[in-house]
Amino acid sequence: MSAKVSIRDLRKSYGGVEAVRGVSFEIQDGEIFGMLGPNGAGKTSTLECVIGLREPDDGAIEVCGIDARKNPTEVKQRIGAALQTTSLQDKITGREALELFGSFYRQRVPSADLLKRFSLEEKADAPFDTLSGGQKQRLALALAFVNNPELVFLDEPTTGLDPQSRRELHGEIARMKGDGHTVLLTTHYIEEAEQLCDRIAIVDHGRIIATGAPKDLIAASKLTQLVSFETDRPVAAAALQKIPGASEPTVDGVHGRFRTRDISRALPELIKLLEAQPVQLVGLVVGKITLEDVFIELTGSKLRE
Amino acid sequence: MNQPLREIVAVTLRMYLRNRMALAYSYVFPVMFLLAFVVLYKDEQPLLIQHMGELFTVTILGGACFGLPTSMVSERERGVWRRYRLSPVSPARVIAGTLIARYLMILVAGALQLAACMIIGGWTPEHPFQLWIAFSLVTFALLGLGLVIATMADTVPAVQALGQCIFLPMLILGGVAVKLSAFADTPWVLHLSAFFPGRYAVEVMQQCAKGTGLAPAWFSALAVILTGLGAGVAGAKLFRWDAHQRFAANRNRVWLLAALGAWALIGVGAEVRREIAPPASARPKLRPTIVPGKTADTTPAPVAPAPATNLVPAPTPAIPVTTTSVPTQNPAPVTFEVKPNPVVTAPAPAPEPAVVQTESLSQPASSQPAAVTPPPASAPVVAPLAVAAVPAPAAPTPWRAYNKIDFARLPFASVPPDNGNETPIAPADEAPDLSQQADLNAVAANLKTWAPGKVADPVQRVRNLMYVASATDQAQAFLERHLPYLIMDTLRAQFQDEELEQILCWIANHPAEGDHSAVFRLDELGLLFSVDDWDVPEIRLRNQWYSIKFVWWLLGW
């Protein structure tokens, strides 16, 4: 697979503050790549440097095989972008906005198609300031697709949207992948990144601290899973220590729990132990390691809304 | 126009038409100025034609210094321009589209304003095509300034502050809302105004609306173009898409000098060309260079000009005041009765038995000479004349007997000052502006064939010519401060100075005499007023004052 985006050692400072500190990554063709990090981590600065909204201090940016720092206009012909908040003139209608922005590109998708695709037909002639947040964001996505881009950049596209609008947008983004588009998505919603992205870069303090598919990141985590169970009779706590890899075992009457890094080995051992007592298992809960757990493990802090 | 540009223009215009506040500002504001101008210049005929340059400039300034940057900064603050930046459209296209749309809005406002003025005033512009060109040049020049404001201002309130910094000085000191002639006595304002593009904008458009067209106003047109170029370069270099890019942090802000440099350049150019305050040697040809005593008699007057209280020098015997009516050279169709005025003191020496019935200049009829009494400082020397049906008998001409003693007895100190409202005369170093000069040239050409200026009787001829200045003054018309120079030139072309001094002295002493029918033929000169109900006594009074001033002038005092 060829790299659609290749970033090497990207740096950007504002005054004395280093917002982006040597970021490097690649995005393959047809991939949805997520940048996950808290506010102020440097995600948006990185994305804005790539799409030409900001001039980086240093680093190389190649988009669709074009040097974006030398030929930003040509890059803009091939990409589409939706920012965190898209502001248009208050009184412009969706149809007019699509016609206006469509006129800036060599290749363009008919406005009617975009209005239909993004469910904006009913609001096509409504002024921008009368649209809801979700409708505005759908219009922003429609604008990002006005030139049928090879590559789409979405900067926190669901921030501030209600759950319904967020679900709708997730559907649109999943459809982009289905249509073969390459997408770079920034977000601070872990579940969004986990649900939508093929690969994720975890960004903190201007650096990428981990990159990979969500399941690989979780698998690579050193975190332990919590196993909780309930039995028909009390179990001796000392018995739990016989389970290989179990740690922090506790028993409170019929309720017991322990931690393990190897759930596939620990669970058969637990069943075997209870049968030997003999004690009957009434309930069992295995705590899943989430991407958030991984994030906290890597960054030492929770994601901030 | 390519498609992106066309779309930007179309969308900008649509947004503008959907914004009621912007519409109101763009069209109500010019209408308010139009009404203010109508009120201010209601006595001028044709109405407003002499002020189209000012009116248009105010309208363009409003749209350029406030309308354009307010909308640009507002869109930038909201992030609209950031969205443009995501696309491959170039800043040049965005700027050009925005400027073209704004130009069209201002053009419509100007066209409506012109149409209203044409309907109200009943005139048409003399050079309509050139007027459109001039209007367009001025609009793009001032839009350039608006662009600079938009790039400098970080917020909409900052636009208002910066806009006022350009708008108000241009209006008040820059010759836009206040005629520069109002600052005739304040030369520093005239010099300062030379550095403001507003005066050139007014000039170049005014010349096309009513004047000689673009070509003679080439310097003003050049100044406007330079202003636009300087501002355009500065605006393009300072342009920023994003509200986060602050002006103070803009590395290109040195380019602001391009805009300021253009202002400085045109100001210096105007100074070099003496467009501001030309020295006496560089005055226009219509300005007379008065040389006292052009005739053989160059002896200074024995009596220095003095305040009214010193009109009669000690060694000079008291001059009898005429007491009866003085003969006129032409029987007047209307004669005058003068209200008794016991404080009137100006002597009216008459070498022949006087038969004056004008008590304003003389005591009641008496065979005894009357001693001249200095008037109280506050008392008018000559009382206004009132019309009465008293026939004026014909009589021989006595004016040749006047001499320098008689001249010295004229109440020089009691005539209104040159910089006042009555009988004003522009300072010698104040050149008429191009528009005024054009009108003066037209009047001068018409004077050559004007019948009242050709009558055989020299006194009546002088009186008729003096009416031109006096009536213009009474009408407070456009040329009132400059016409006296033209009249003086015309008189001096026909008379020797000494002869002229005598005739003027006679008119000053006998203001109520002679024919005044010439007053009703002033329209033949192409003067810009048409008053059917002239206040003839008032005009005669002004003839008297101008005569006294002209004598003073001829004597070199």
Side-chain angles (χ1 to χ4, degrees), chain A residues 48 51-53 73 76-77 81 83 87-92 96 100-101 103-105 108 143, chain B residues 3-4 7-8 11 14-15 18-19 75 78-80 82-89 242 244:
Chain A
E48 289 183 347
I51 61 179
L53 280 184
T73 305
K76 286 174 182 174
Q77 284 284 356
L83 303 179
S87 287
L88 297 172
Q89 294 90 334
D90 279 345
K91 301 299 175 193
I92 198 169
E96 288 170 341
L100 172 66
F101 283 91
S103 73
F104 300 157
Y105 295 91
R108 59 186 294 188
L143 288 172
Chain B
Q3 201 192 356
E7 283 288 338
I8 293 171
V11 165
R14 268 187 236 132
M15 296 308 103
R18 290 173 195 168
N19 186 333
E75 289 188 357
R78 291 165 47 83
V80 175
R82 204 156 187 261
R83 186 62 190 79
Y84 280 137
R85 197 183 182 190
L86 279 177
S87 72
V89 71
D242 206 318
H244 299 303

Side-chain angles (χ1 to χ4, degrees), chain A:
Chain A
M1 239 191 274
S2 60
K4 207 71 174 172
V5 176
S6 176
I7 311 294
R8 288 189 302 277
D9 199 25
L10 186 70
R11 293 176 186 278
K12 177 68 185 173
S13 297
Y14 304 109
V17 180
E18 278 188 284
V20 182
R21 306 177 183 192
V23 165
S24 300
F25 62 89
E26 286 190 348
I27 304 174
Q28 303 305 318
D29 195 8
E31 186 179 34
I32 296 187
F33 184 83
M35 295 183 76
L36 178 67
N39 291 335
K43 311 183 295 294
T44 298
S45 291
T46 302
L47 182 137
E48 289 183 347
C49 287
V50 176
I51 61 179
L53 280 184
R54 292 188 191 278
E55 179 66 27
D57 300 330
D58 201 4
I61 304 169
E62 199 173 275
V63 177
C64 303
I66 301 165
D67 185 335
R69 296 189 67 181
K70 285 185 181 165
N71 197 352
T73 305
E74 187 54 35
V75 167
K76 286 174 182 174
Q77 284 284 356
R78 297 171 181 230
I79 67 171
L83 303 179
Q84 276 182 45
T85 51
T86 291
S87 287
L88 297 172
Q89 294 90 334
D90 279 345
K91 301 299 175 193
I92 198 169
T93 66
R95 194 189 307 279
E96 288 170 341
L98 290 170
E99 289 294 329
L100 172 66
F101 283 91
S103 73
F104 300 157
Y105 295 91
R106 289 194 296 263
Q107 185 182 4
R108 59 186 294 188
V109 177
S111 304
D113 294 357
L114 291 168
L115 290 168
K116 186 177 179 185
R117 174 176 173 180
F118 290 96
S119 307
L120 286 166
E121 284 168 305
E122 285 184 12
K123 291 287 183 181
D125 298 312
F128 183 72
D129 62 355
T130 64
L131 301 181
S132 68
Q135 288 164 341
K136 284 179 179 174
Q137 203 57 303
R138 287 211 301 277
L139 179 58
L141 281 180
L143 288 172
F145 278 83
V146 80
N147 57 331
N148 192 24
E150 297 175 39
L151 181 61
V152 181
F153 293 86
L154 306 175
D155 187 16
E156 307 206 5
T158 58
T159 298
L161 294 186
D162 59 81
Q164 172 66 23
S165 300
R166 190 177 293 181
R167 271 196 299 276
E168 287 174 6
L169 270 185
H170 287 172
E172 283 300 334
I173 294 166
R175 187 177 160 187
M176 292 175 198
K177 182 177 169 61
D179 292 346
H181 290 290
T182 306
V183 179
L184 170 57
L185 168 78
T186 72
T187 183
H188 56 242
Y189 295 126
I190 287 178
E191 67 280 13
E192 189 169 273
E194 201 169 357
Q195 178 188 338
L196 296 173
C197 298
D198 298 315
R199 283 195 308 131
I200 290 170
I202 293 178
V203 185
D204 194 32
H205 296 296
R207 290 195 179 92
I208 290 179
I209 53 177
T211 309
K215 62 178 175 22
D216 294 339
L217 289 173
I218 291 168
S221 168
K222 293 175 182 173
L223 291 176
T224 54
Q225 284 175 283
L226 179 66
V227 178
S228 305
F229 60 91
E230 186 179 351
T231 53
D232 57 348
R233 286 180 291 150
V235 179
L240 294 181
Q241 289 178 345
K242 294 175 185 171
I243 298 172
S247 61
E248 305 172 35
T250 56
V251 173
D252 180 10
V254 297
H255 297 285
R257 59 185 181 181
F258 63 92
R259 288 191 167 275
T260 179
R261 290 178 60 189
D262 189 354
I263 194 74
S264 57
R265 273 188 66 198
L267 281 183
E269 289 295 329
L270 173 64
I271 302 298
K272 212 184 289 179
L273 178 76
L274 293 178
E275 284 174 349
Q277 291 282 324
V279 173
Q280 194 157 353
L281 187 63
V282 174
L284 177 69
V285 176
V286 179
K288 184 186 171 190
I289 297 177
T290 63
L291 199 56
E292 182 163 14
D293 296 325
V294 176
F295 185 87
I296 292 168
E297 180 193 12
L298 292 172
T299 64
S301 60
K302 286 191 173 182
L303 271 172
R304 297 176 294 277
E305 285 288 324

